[in-house]
Amino acid sequence: MSSDSVALSLRGLGKSYRMTALIDQPYSFIEMLTGKIRRPFRRPDERVFWALRNISLQIKQGETVGIIGRNGAGKSTLLKILSRITDPSEGEVAVFGRVGSLLEVGTGFHPELTGRENIFLNGAILGMRRHEIARRFDAIVDFSGVEEFLELPVKKYSSGMYVRLAFAVAAHLEPEILLVDEVLAVGDAEFQQKCLGKMRDEAISGRAVLFVSHSMAAVQNLCKSCLLLEKGQLVFYGETSAAIDLYLQSSSRSAEVEAAQRQNRKGLNASQPQIAVVRLVDAKGKVQSRLSQGEAVHLEITVDAPHLGIERPIVRLSINHVIHGIVGMVDTQLTGSPLRQGRYQHFTLRCSLKPLPLLQGLYTVDVWLSDGHIQIDTLPACLSFAVEETDLYGTGRATFADKGILYLEPTWEIISEQ
Amino acid sequence: MAVRPTYLLRPRSGWQSLDLMELWRFRDLLIQLGVRDVKLRYRQTAMGVAWVLIQPIVTAMVFAFLFGRVARLSTNNIPPFWFAFTGLIAWGFFQGIVSRASASLVQSAPIISKVYFPRLVLPLATIISCLLDFAVGLVIMLIGLVGIGLIPDVRVLLLPVWLLLFLLLAAGVGMYSAAITARYRDLQYALPFVIQFFAYASPVGYATNSVPPDLRGWYALNPLVGLLEAFRWSILGTANFSWAATGYASVISVCVFVFGMYGFRRVERSLADVL
């Protein structure tokens, strides 16, 4: 197939779920009957929730396209439709070629069956013919690196072996269109690299790859173009760095709005003490969502407690790498702060962190508020920011992407030489 | 666009075509799933294949005692044990497919919500392990019959036909109830009861001529009557065979199978959302 032929063509695609179906669907036949008898003419309340709507786009063979967006933006729904697990509610998709998905590796693996038996069973579930599996059997075993355990039931495998074998089967499906959902979150670093390499090969060999991930590093690394979904809508489809920019902007913007508007979170109402705004600003006080490596981080946290006030406020925050987890945590009690005991009805606190040696990547901030020992408010991942690479060392080279969280600042000395 | 899409995904509603071509492409999956069931059943059981025999043998003894000795119902001059055993292996085949096929979707819910394949593969794959059970029972039965001097004649050649009809009827019921069970779990509990009812409402342990004549009309509505009598006629040469009853049963079996398939396909598209 030529490289510019279309692999997927989506026209006005939408998927809706009936909220009633989710909330009070009759779960037994009797309930349905009694419901019908009590209210014979009542149509179930059809509050329709659109998980995805008006998605129109084309993806060509040989393209690797990232799909990014916050939780609930519709990423997984899109993959579910493309992989034919669920029907769309409107619109249509024309699919050119066989679709393979790595939505959940190891689907259909049976613990009592041996590795060998599971390869054949899993391959068949993924749509491979027996002779296709037999032909690729050695390659699959080789890729997984579990050949000594092939005749052992997989319930005796370690979770790492299990995942590797499962991924190996899925990776040898050789579909024209490959859907990948966050599989890289599993396995050890070495195996992840192997998987990324495999996906790159797929793309090079002319397949279309759709890649859902929360790891901007991986998306940036693998995908030329990217779609950004927001609340079921396609917000942007184009160059990856532009998509990530937009995603981060919208994340940080919405963090600001959300903190102010999420007044009902965990039973809080507007009159109770709470975190109202969290912002990331630069040295000049301007709101930012991107930092350069080695730039100081300033976080502004606004707390409102209009009626009751707060006696002994403690603000705690942590900075987290989206893939590798927590970078560090501080609170005002631990380090001491200008916050004193006394009745605050409002305060805005700025926390300035000395230049952090953060690698390029995406980071999030969690904020907690407590009054003495009593925790009042929690805002997990309330804002996110990206750290961009710069020519840190003045050598014209970028730091190693996605190798850890921090960059190191070494001084090299020659102790002896010849 | 000159190239035709491999397939088009769009909203579906109402009756669907069966898409047997696609089902055929997934025949390896059907076999793999069937083989998996067989393997899993005998792995880690101490007596392995013996379990397939113990059940019908013990039940045949109970039936022979109940219907033959206690109730003294007609067994057409066949030893009650072998009379009941013949009925039971055919009945076991029917019942096995119905109950395993019905449970197949709910059991495979995790796969259904993650991978696409024609869902019909799941209930249909259960036929394989049931066929194996049946084959084992049949061999034991034939050995036993020869042992007591009851050697089947040429009519035994029609056995595959009756087997196919049993299969169609059972798979039809199984597919449809699998689809309903996915939505309403009630059927999981109702089904064993219904199956038990039919075990007594069919000539499994007794012959049709034991049924009071005024009830025969109602009794004959059950398609299993014609099939079981035909099955027994083929092996034991009993006299209750009638072309009318068997013809009726054949038509019903084929209809149930076709309807079961279409009914399944109708519900199939929403399976991932309800399971």
Side-chain angles (χ1 to χ4, degrees):
Chain A
M1 221 173 274
S2 71
S3 64
D4 58 347
S5 59
V6 175
L8 285 168
S9 171
L10 286 64
R11 272 191 297 275
L13 192 70
K15 173 78 184 175
S16 65
Y17 290 98
R18 265 171 299 173
M19 295 300 276
T20 47
L22 298 173
I23 297 162
D24 62 7
Q25 183 190 33
Y27 56 84
S28 78
F29 188 64
I30 298 298
E31 272 202 8
M32 190 195 77
L33 277 185
T34 53
K36 280 265 191 280
I37 290 164
R38 265 183 286 152
R39 293 160 302 198
F41 302 112
R42 175 177 165 265
R43 294 277 300 159
D45 306 327
E46 298 216 313
R47 256 192 304 137
V48 169
F49 163 72
W50 287 91
L52 213 56
R53 197 150 206 199
N54 287 326
I55 311 290
S56 298
L57 56 97
Q58 287 202 335
I59 290 166
K60 296 196 171 70
Q61 305 280 0
E63 269 189 314
T64 302
V65 178
I67 304 177
I68 56 175
R70 295 148 69 91
N71 290 327
K75 306 186 294 289
S76 302
T77 307
L78 181 58
L79 288 199
K80 274 195 168 180
I81 293 173
L82 297 181
S83 57
R84 303 179 70 188
I85 292 164
T86 187
D87 271 11
S89 307
E90 59 176 34
E92 63 171 31
V93 187
V95 181
F96 301 84
R98 176 154 85 161
V99 176
S101 62
L102 303 181
L103 297 193
E104 190 101 18
V105 292
T107 306
F109 261 42
H110 199 290
E112 297 285 348
L113 297 177
T114 66
R116 178 188 300 276
E117 288 165 338
N118 267 312
I119 290 178
F120 280 96
L121 177 62
N122 190 232
I125 289 174
L126 295 176
M128 278 191 258
R129 298 292 317 280
R130 198 183 158 79
H131 60 83
E132 286 180 275
I133 307 169
R135 187 155 45 80
R136 294 169 201 161
F137 188 82
D138 291 339
I140 292 171
V141 174
D142 205 41
F143 190 86
S144 69
V146 300
E147 58 261 64
E148 302 127 82
F149 309 100
L150 224 45
E151 310 304 332
L152 226 58
V154 296
K155 66 179 174 185
K156 304 223 169 105
Y157 282 29
S158 73
S159 62
M161 284 157 62
Y162 187 93
V163 165
R164 291 204 322 241
L165 184 62
F167 187 88
V169 179
H172 287 79
L173 179 58
E174 296 181 11
E176 277 87 35
I177 301 155
L178 181 67
L179 311 176
V180 185
D181 191 1
E182 230 38 293
V183 278
L184 304 172
V186 295
D188 50 44
E190 189 197 347
F191 189 70
Q192 284 179 16
Q193 284 306 315
K194 217 168 164 184
C195 299
L196 286 171
K198 180 81 189 165
M199 281 174 59
R200 223 175 268 128
D201 296 346
E202 297 275 322
I204 290 166
S205 61
R207 304 201 163 84
V209 180
L210 261 78
F211 178 46
V212 165
S213 182
H214 285 106
S215 158
M216 296 305 130
V219 171
Q220 183 97 60
N221 207 339
L222 280 170
C223 312
K224 263 209 199 93
S225 54
C226 205
L227 14 143
L228 173 60
L229 294 176
E230 215 169 85
K231 294 183 182 126
Q233 306 274 345
L234 179 64
V235 181
F236 179 82
Y237 178 31
E239 212 191 316
T240 298
S241 52
I244 293 178
D245 267 356
L246 257 176
Y247 170 63
L248 295 176
Q249 267 172 37
S250 74
S251 308
S252 59
R253 190 175 58 231
S254 53
E256 224 183 306
V257 176
E258 247 174 86
Q261 286 185 344
R262 291 205 307 209
Q263 283 155 351
N264 292 320
R265 61 179 186 258
K266 292 203 177 135
L268 286 178
N269 61 48
S271 63
Q272 282 172 299
Q274 60 193 279
I275 305 162
V277 182
V278 180
R279 310 196 301 171
L280 177 79
V281 296
D282 61 15
K284 293 174 200 126
K286 208 173 138 240
V287 176
Q288 287 292 342
S289 65
R290 320 206 62 149
L291 295 174
S292 297
Q293 281 182 320
E295 205 180 328
V297 175
H298 307 275
L299 291 161
E300 290 184 355
I301 297 120
T302 300
V303 169
D304 279 326
H307 301 302
L308 300 165
I310 298 185
E311 289 284 353
R312 293 189 297 149
I314 299 168
V315 174
R316 169 180 294 182
L317 56 90
S318 72
I319 292 178
N320 317 287
H321 187 271
V322 283
I323 303 168
H324 301 297
I326 188 159
V327 176
M329 180 186 276
V330 286
D331 70 33
T332 51
Q333 200 177 30
L334 174 75
T335 58
S337 81
L339 280 178
R340 44 194 165 70
Q341 289 199 6
R343 194 163 291 250
Y344 283 100
Q345 290 187 314
H346 166 94
F347 64 83
T348 297
L349 186 68
R350 175 181 291 190
C351 172
S352 298
L353 298 162
K354 281 189 193 149
L356 292 170
L358 296 176
L359 276 186
Q360 60 269 51
L362 187 67
Y363 296 84
T364 61
V365 179
D366 300 351
V367 184
W368 293 261
L369 171 68
S370 38
D371 190 351
H373 297 300
I374 301 151
Q375 190 161 307
I376 301 175
D377 198 3
T378 325
L379 280 181
C382 60
L383 82 86
S384 57
F385 63 92
V387 172
E388 293 181 324
E389 59 187 38
T390 53
D391 187 9
L392 255 181
Y393 305 115
T395 59
R397 291 167 190 278
T399 43
F400 297 107
D402 212 25
K403 296 277 186 224
I405 303 170
L406 305 177
Y407 61 81
L408 307 176
E409 290 176 286
T411 33
W412 305 93
E413 286 173 80
I414 295 173
I415 305 299
S416 74
E417 74 178 326
Q418 276 187 328
Chain B
M1 182 59 52
V3 191
R4 271 171 45 105
T6 318
Y7 45 85
L8 265 179
L9 309 177
R10 42 164 66 127
R12 288 179 289 179
S13 65
W15 300 99
Q16 304 297 321
S17 79
L18 291 180
D19 204 352
L20 295 176
M21 279 297 289
E22 192 179 38
L23 200 58
W24 177 245
R25 277 201 300 278
F26 276 84
R27 61 191 178 279
D28 281 352
L29 174 59
L30 200 146
I31 293 165
Q32 287 283 336
L33 287 171
V35 170
R36 176 196 68 177
D37 287 349
V38 172
K39 279 182 182 160
L40 287 177
R41 202 119 51 86
Y42 302 118
R43 201 158 284 182
Q44 295 207 341
T45 56
M47 298 203 291
V49 97
W51 284 115
V52 182
L53 295 174
I54 290 170
Q55 223 186 336
I57 289 175
V58 173
T59 319
M61 276 155 54
V62 172
F63 272 31
F65 174 74
L66 270 182
F67 295 118
R69 303 299 293 276
V70 178
R72 298 198 171 281
L73 297 181
S74 158
T75 58
N76 304 109
N77 298 322
I78 306 289
F81 174 81
W82 291 106
F83 185 89
F85 194 80
T86 333
L88 277 167
I89 64 160
W91 168 257
F93 180 62
F94 173 81
Q95 179 236 290
I97 293 179
V98 169
S99 52
R100 283 180 212 161
S102 306
S104 62
L105 287 185
V106 174
Q107 267 169 10
S108 300
I111 310 182
I112 290 174
S113 59
K114 276 159 205 150
V115 186
Y116 174 81
F117 51 86
R119 309 309 191 193
L120 270 172
V121 164
L122 290 170
L124 291 178
T126 61
I127 294 172
I128 292 178
S129 61
C130 296
L131 267 175
L132 184 79
D133 291 359
F134 175 81
V136 173
L138 189 70
V139 169
I140 295 302
M141 185 184 66
L142 291 177
I143 293 172
L145 288 180
V146 171
I148 62 165
L150 262 173
I151 294 158
D153 58 21
V154 65
R155 282 175 287 186
V156 80
L157 294 177
L158 276 171
L159 213 59
V161 177
W162 315 136
L163 188 66
L164 178 69
L165 290 170
F166 269 115
L167 191 155
L168 292 178
L169 183 64
V173 174
M175 284 185 286
Y176 200 63
S177 64
I180 298 175
T181 310
R183 195 173 277 269
Y184 303 107
R185 300 292 154 89
D186 302 55
L187 200 62
Q188 265 177 321
Y189 308 109
L191 198 68
F193 173 73
V194 175
I195 288 176
Q196 203 184 16
F197 172 81
F198 275 98
Y200 293 107
S202 312
V204 177
Y206 56 89
T208 308
N209 52 8
S210 305
V211 177
D214 55 321
L215 291 175
R216 292 255 172 98
W218 291 106
Y219 193 74
L221 285 178
N222 175 4
L224 285 165
V225 174
L227 293 183
L228 280 164
E229 288 298 355
F231 185 77
R232 219 176 247 135
W233 170 78
S234 265
I235 294 173
L236 302 175
T238 49
N240 284 311
F241 178 74
S242 90
W243 284 108
T246 309
Y248 163 79
S250 312
V251 172
I252 295 285
S253 299
V254 172
C255 290
V256 165
F257 183 75
V258 172
F259 178 75
M261 258 185 146
Y262 275 103
F264 186 93
R265 287 281 294 163
R266 200 180 142 89
V267 181
E268 180 189 51
R269 67 195 167 84
S270 60
L271 281 180
D273 298 335
V274 298
L275 272 171

